[in-house]
Amino acid sequence: PENSEVMIGVYNMLGEYVAEVTNSTYKAGKHELEFNSNDLGQGTYFVRMITDNFTATKSMNILK
């Protein structure tokens, strides 16, 4: 509910950072981002969002 710097990154199953989705400051509210996975192979990845007061990690499966 407040302006914050947001970092969203993609990690492989080994925990290695493989892609950046965003690393910017966003105003309060809902936002949508598009992520191009063409450079990643098929498999399971983790998407982590980090802000000043919040961290969340979700799994993502890429099928080609």
Side-chain angles (χ1 to χ4, degrees):
E2 60 188 32
N3 297 351
S4 183
E5 185 170 328
V6 178
M7 195 288 282
I8 301 175
V10 178
Y11 299 82
N12 64 18
M13 290 294 287
L14 299 174
E16 300 169 327
Y17 183 80
V18 295
E20 180 179 272
V21 178
T22 190
N23 191 2
S24 300
T25 301
Y26 289 87
K27 293 183 178 185
K30 284 188 168 186
H31 301 276
E32 289 186 26
L33 297 170
E34 288 189 25
F35 172 66
N36 183 337
S37 65
N38 289 341
D39 294 338
L40 299 177
Q42 182 171 311
T44 301
Y45 295 85
F46 296 100
V47 180
R48 176 173 282 169
M49 180 174 81
I50 301 170
T51 68
D52 294 335
N53 301 315
F54 178 79
T55 300
T57 304
K58 302 286 183 179
S59 65
M60 169 179 69
N61 292 315
I62 295 178
L63 304 172
K64 295 187 177 187

